[in-house]
Amino acid sequence: WLEQLGQDLRYGLRQLVKSPGFATVSILTIALGIGACTALFSVVNKVVLHPLDYDEPDRIVSVTQNQLPKIPYMMVSPGVYNEWLAQQTVFEQLDASSGGSVKLAQGDRFLQTFAVQATANLFSVYRLKAEKGRLFLPEEMQAGKDKVVILSHGLWKEQFAGRDSVIGETLRLDDETYTIIGVVHDTQRSGTFVYLPCVP
């Protein structure tokens, strides 16, 4: 059967060489099909087969505001968040977070990384614990007391060689100096990034 397979392959190759246009279309069609199947499986695998890797993920919901139909999704302002926090009676906890790019100074070079600005209770909502050091304190959500930072596990390993002594050291983000207070391993947010206090 190996000999037969070899003959079939040679015949197929000869046919493709004779019709290069058909061969190109066939290869592109197969490639697109494989790509589409891979993308679909990735979504199903993440959402259905392997949902959020947190305790009781079915109890976590995302709350947003919108102005339909013009703006289907809007950032929630600190004032609106505080109003929700004061009035809501449905949720056990309500945290807020946002993100953006920051410039991390590493000696004489700079690394562009991502910053998650989060309220102090974000970690308890997702039941995350400090791998090293500690998490944010409620009073660190105030201007003047917010110059603290928590490293992601990936950033700690890649840029700080996984040193325990990193706790208490300072780093510069966008020309501001922060004190490193902890390291967190969040399985849903892989990669290199930092957590910063979310100050209303």
Side-chain angles (χ1 to χ4, degrees):
W1 65 273
L2 285 176
E3 185 179 348
Q4 182 64 43
L5 178 62
Q7 290 176 356
D8 290 343
L9 286 173
R10 285 192 294 273
Y11 175 76
L13 287 172
R14 282 197 301 271
Q15 293 301 110
L16 289 175
V17 170
K18 287 180 181 178
S19 306
F22 174 76
T24 302
V25 171
S26 299
I27 292 169
L28 286 175
T29 303
I30 292 170
L32 287 172
I34 292 172
C37 289
T38 303
L40 182 61
F41 175 77
S42 297
V43 173
V44 172
N45 183 57
K46 187 69 175 177
V47 175
V48 179
L49 302 180
H50 296 91
L52 293 174
D53 191 18
Y54 298 125
D55 290 339
E56 300 180 291
D58 56 317
R59 297 184 63 198
I60 300 174
V61 298
S62 176
V63 182
T64 62
Q65 64 176 349
N66 61 43
Q67 290 184 349
L68 294 174
K70 292 183 179 179
I71 309 175
Y73 175 82
M74 292 178 61
M75 292 288 289
V76 177
S77 69
V80 171
Y81 167 73
N82 288 330
E83 195 69 24
W84 287 356
L85 199 58
Q87 295 186 20
Q88 75 87 19
T89 57
V90 176
F91 304 111
E92 184 179 321
Q93 292 192 72
L94 191 64
D95 76 85
S97 65
S98 64
S101 180
V102 292
K103 187 170 59 177
L104 168 63
Q106 287 285 86
D108 58 352
R109 65 188 183 90
F110 295 93
L111 169 71
Q112 205 70 28
T113 189
F114 192 79
V116 177
Q117 288 189 299
T119 52
N121 65 333
L122 176 135
F123 303 101
S124 59
V125 167
Y126 293 100
R127 299 182 184 175
L128 297 172
K129 299 189 184 321
E131 187 175 356
K132 300 290 177 184
R134 65 171 177 84
L135 304 175
F136 294 138
L137 302 175
E139 55 266 31
E140 290 168 340
M141 302 296 113
Q142 303 172 33
K145 299 181 180 179
D146 61 327
K147 298 306 180 189
V148 290
V149 62
I150 296 173
L151 308 178
S152 71
H153 178 86
L155 185 66
W156 176 56
K157 285 291 188 182
E158 287 186 24
Q159 301 299 323
F160 297 90
R163 293 184 290 105
D164 291 345
S165 60
V166 75
I167 305 301
E169 292 182 4
T170 60
L171 58 76
R172 290 188 66 77
L173 296 169
D174 286 346
D175 297 323
E176 295 279 348
T177 301
Y178 293 82
T179 300
I180 301 170
I181 61 169
V183 177
V184 166
H185 191 185
D186 184 344
T187 56
Q188 291 297 315
R189 291 187 176 101
S190 59
T192 58
F193 61 94
V194 296
Y195 291 99
L196 297 175
C198 183
V199 179

